[in-house]
Amino acid sequence: MRRLKIIYDRERCRGLGMCAAIAPHQFRMKGKKAVLVRGKRTPRTGEYSTILTVPAAESERIVKSGMACPVNAIRVIDMDTRKSLVQTRIVTHGAKRIDADAARPKDFVMDRKGYLLIRVDRDHGLIEVGLCRRKNQVDVIITGRNPTDIYYTILKKKLLSRFEHAAYIGKETQKAHTALQLGIEYVQDAPLDFSKNVKT
Ligand code: SF4
C-alpha cells in the first residue's frame, strides 16, 4: 500500500479528460472540468487535495493520470518519503539547448506506406485526408472534425511509417482546421493567407 497526496488545480484544467479515463476512482468529469473525487478545497490556494492509502496498481494509475495531464493540473506526492511523484513546476535548469537545423529538401525521405492529400470539405465542416499508395491513386480517405481525431486514427491504423510524416500530418491538419474555423482558403503545403476569406 502507498500513501499519496493528490493536489488538483481546477483553474488550470482544460477538461481534456485523460485523468478521468486513466484513474476513474479519483477523477471524474463534470461539465468542462475534472473533479477530484474526495478532494477538499484549500481556500488559500484554491486547489483541491486529498490524501489516500492505495494499493500499488491504483497508485500507478494516479501517477499516470498526473503524468498525462497536458496542463500540469495534477500533482502527486508520496506521503511516506515526501517525494514528488508528479510535479507541476517546469524545470529547465540543466537542459541541453539545441538550435533547430533548417529543413533541407535532400533530407526528405518518402514514406514507404504512401503519401497524403489533404483538403477541407467546407459544406460539412470536415477535414479530409487521402492516403495514396501509388501516384494520384487515393486508397484510403480519413475524415474528421479536428486534427487530433485524424492523427490518432492514422496512427492507430498504422497508415504511416515515419516520424516526420506524422509530424507533417499534425501540422497540415491543424492548418486545415484553422482555415475551416476562420473561413479562409486551405492549400496543402502553402502558408495560410489570413487576409482573404473564402467566397461562399
Ligand atoms: S487531464 Fe488535466 S486537463 Fe485533462 S481533465 Fe484531467 S486535470 Fe483537466
Side-chain angles (χ1 to χ4, degrees):
M1 298 293 269
R2 217 167 178 190
R3 213 158 70 91
L4 301 180
K5 181 172 186 178
I6 309 173
I7 303 157
Y8 163 59
D9 185 343
R10 192 173 186 277
E11 285 298 304
R12 285 191 181 186
C13 175
R14 296 258 178 85
L16 304 166
M18 272 83 108
C19 55
I22 297 169
H25 294 304
Q26 314 305 335
F27 295 98
R28 62 183 161 76
M29 300 308 294
K30 192 174 175 195
K32 291 188 172 164
K33 297 270 184 179
V35 172
L36 177 60
V37 174
R38 282 165 289 273
K40 293 237 160 44
R41 188 170 182 274
T42 309
R44 189 176 53 83
T45 60
E47 292 173 329
Y48 292 79
S49 66
T50 183
I51 296 177
L52 359 109
T53 303
V54 289
E58 183 59 8
S59 153
E60 212 173 292
R61 281 191 283 273
I62 292 170
V63 169
K64 270 192 195 159
S65 69
M67 300 290 264
C69 177
V71 293
N72 287 319
I74 300 166
R75 192 146 45 106
V76 184
I77 299 167
D78 183 322
M79 292 305 282
D80 296 322
T81 61
R82 299 279 155 177
K83 263 173 98 178
S84 218
L85 302 176
V86 180
Q87 65 168 359
T88 49
R89 201 164 50 89
I90 296 172
V91 180
T92 56
H93 175 72
K96 183 177 173 185
R97 289 194 181 271
I98 300 172
D99 289 333
D101 290 334
R104 300 167 303 181
K106 73 179 179 104
D107 293 334
F108 173 79
V109 180
M110 186 80 188
D111 192 327
R112 63 183 167 76
K113 294 214 169 173
Y115 68 94
L116 301 166
L117 296 175
I118 303 161
R119 64 180 185 182
V120 295
D121 172 355
R122 242 167 249 288
D123 293 339
H124 300 99
L126 292 171
I127 304 165
E128 207 175 89
V129 178
L131 173 73
C132 302
R133 297 192 177 108
R134 280 167 297 153
K135 181 80 178 162
N136 291 333
Q137 167 67 55
V138 179
D139 296 296
V140 184
I141 298 174
I142 307 107
T143 51
R145 294 197 184 278
N146 70 67
T148 314
D149 294 348
I150 293 176
Y151 67 67
Y152 266 117
T153 303
I154 289 175
L155 294 176
K156 254 195 282 178
K157 298 203 175 294
K158 299 189 171 35
L159 296 175
L160 303 179
S161 73
R162 299 193 62 87
F163 287 140
E164 67 270 39
H165 210 177
Y168 171 82
I169 192 71
K171 174 186 75 126
E172 281 300 318
T173 51
Q174 182 59 50
K175 264 174 55 194
H177 182 63
T178 304
L180 268 178
Q181 301 276 303
L182 300 182
I184 58 177
E185 195 182 11
Y186 169 75
V187 180
Q188 187 172 354
D189 294 328
L192 291 174
D193 182 348
F194 293 92
S195 67
K196 282 187 216 142
N197 283 352
V198 170
K199 291 188 191 84
T200 50

